[in-house]
C-alpha cells in the first residue's frame, strides 16, 4: 500500500476529540519546529518551505483522523525519495509524543494519535534505501543531456496550442499521473505560501 488516507484505521472521531483544527495545527507546528532544530533531521527541510509542509501534514492527518477529505500525494510518494531511516522516524515519533504532552491531550487520544503515526512508518521509512535509489535512478534517466538554453521570442498565449513546447511524447507516461499530481500540488502550495503570489489564490 502507498499509505493513503485511512491506512491506519484511526477512529473517525479522533480529529474532533483531540481538539479540532486549531489544536492539530499547533501540534504539527510543534513537531516540525522540533524536527527542523534536530541535527539528524534538519537536512530534510533545507529544500522545502516549512509552512507548506506543515499545512500538507495537517491536511493529511485531519483526513486520516476523521476531519475531512484529502487530495494531496500519499505518504509513500511524499517520502520515498527522502531515504528516511527507522531511527529518524523514531525521533519524529518522540517529537509527536512531546507535543501531545505539551498540549495536554488526554491519555486515550494521545495513545490513538501515536498508534496512528506508528502505523504510517511502513509508508515513510526506506529501510535499505531501495525507494530512494529507485527515485534517483528515474530522475537521472529523465535528465536532458547537454541542455541548451535557446533564446526565442515568447509565443503569444492566444496562439499557443498543446504541443507547442515540443515536450517528449513519452514524458507523461514516464512521469505518471500520481507523480504529476504531487508535483502540481507542491507547486501550488509553494505559490500560495509566497508573499508575492498569495493574492492570486485568495478567492
Amino acid at each position: 500500500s502507498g499509505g493513503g488516507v485511512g491506512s491506519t484505521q484511526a477512529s473517525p472521531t479522533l480529529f474532533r476529540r483531540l481538539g479540532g483544527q486549531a489544536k492539530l495545527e499547533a501540534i504539527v507546528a510543534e513537531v516540525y519546529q522540533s524536527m527542523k532544530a534536530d541535527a539528524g533531521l534538519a537536512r530534510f527541510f533545507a529544500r522545502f518551505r516549512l509552512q507548506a509542509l506543515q499545512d500538507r501534514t495537517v491536511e493529511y492527518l485531519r483526513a486520516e483522523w476523521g476531519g475531512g477529505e484529502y487530495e494531496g500525494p500519499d505518504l509513500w510518494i511524499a517520502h520515498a525519495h527522502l531515504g528516511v531511516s527507522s531511527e529518524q522516524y523514531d525521533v519524529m515519533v518522540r517529537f509527536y509524543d512531546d507535543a501531545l504532552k505539551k498540549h495536554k491531550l488526554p491519555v486515550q487520544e494521545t495513545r490513538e494519535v501515536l498508534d496512528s503515526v506508528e502505523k504510517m512508518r511502513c509508508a515513510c521509512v526506506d529501510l535499505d534505501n531501495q525507494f530512494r535509489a529507485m527515485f534517483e535512478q528515474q530522475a537521472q534517466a529523465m535528465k536532458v543531456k547537454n541542455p541548451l538554453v535557446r533564446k526565442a521570442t515568447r509565443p503569444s498565449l492566444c496562439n499557443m496550442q498543446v504541443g507547442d513546447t515540443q515536450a517528449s511524447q513519452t514524458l507523461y507516461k514516464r512521469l505518471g499521473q500520481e507523480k504529476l499530481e504531487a508535483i502540481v500540488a507542491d507547486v501550488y502550495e509553494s505559490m500560495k505560501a509566497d508573499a508575492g503570489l498569495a493574492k492570486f489564490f485568495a478567492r
Side-chain angles (χ1 to χ4, degrees):
S1 170
V5 170
S7 62
T8 72
Q9 299 180 330
S11 167
T13 66
L14 180 56
F15 173 73
R16 174 180 57 78
R17 287 185 288 116
L18 66 81
Q21 184 73 14
K23 182 72 76 172
L24 179 58
E25 288 178 354
I27 291 169
V28 170
E30 188 81 26
V31 171
Y32 270 87
Q33 288 301 323
S34 296
M35 290 194 292
K36 186 179 180 182
D38 184 86
L41 300 181
R43 67 179 180 85
F44 292 114
F45 305 98
R47 297 182 296 115
F48 300 101
R49 204 179 282 270
L50 193 66
Q51 187 61 52
L53 293 177
Q54 288 180 196
D55 292 345
R56 178 64 57 78
T57 299
V58 168
E59 290 171 7
Y60 186 89
L61 295 179
R62 181 179 61 212
E64 181 69 32
W65 297 340
E69 299 295 325
Y70 174 74
E71 298 180 353
D74 67 18
L75 291 178
W76 189 86
I77 289 176
H79 294 85
H81 65 291
L82 296 175
V84 178
S85 71
S86 189
E87 292 75 19
Q88 290 166 332
Y89 199 85
D90 287 341
V91 174
M92 186 200 71
V93 172
R94 177 165 55 83
F95 288 148
Y96 267 98
D97 191 21
D98 292 343
L100 296 173
K101 290 176 181 176
K102 179 176 180 178
H103 290 277
K104 297 180 171 55
L105 254 69
V107 174
Q108 180 61 31
E109 281 68 35
T110 295
R111 184 182 298 117
E112 290 181 40
V113 167
L114 293 178
D115 179 65
S116 180
V117 170
E118 180 58 40
K119 288 178 179 177
M120 297 175 193
R121 179 186 295 266
C122 63
C124 299
V125 170
D126 189 1
L127 292 177
D128 50 11
N129 277 327
Q130 284 189 347
F131 298 153
R132 185 177 184 182
M134 181 185 71
F135 267 76
E136 289 179 348
Q137 183 179 17
Q138 182 68 12
Q140 186 64 33
M142 292 176 66
K143 283 183 179 178
V144 179
K145 294 182 179 179
N146 300 319
L148 299 176
V149 179
R150 297 183 177 89
K151 292 183 178 180
T153 303
R154 182 185 297 273
S156 168
L157 293 178
C158 296
N159 296 326
M160 285 188 70
Q161 302 293 328
V162 172
D164 280 357
T165 64
Q166 298 181 343
S168 167
Q169 295 300 303
T170 65
L171 179 57
Y172 170 77
K173 182 178 180 180
R174 287 182 284 132
L175 194 62
Q177 179 69 19
E178 287 188 328
K179 190 66 174 177
L180 176 60
E181 290 179 356
I183 291 170
V184 172
D186 284 340
V187 169
Y188 271 83
E189 286 295 331
S190 296
M191 290 194 293
K192 186 177 179 181
D194 185 270
L197 300 178
K199 66 178 181 179
F200 296 111
F201 303 93
R203 293 181 297 171

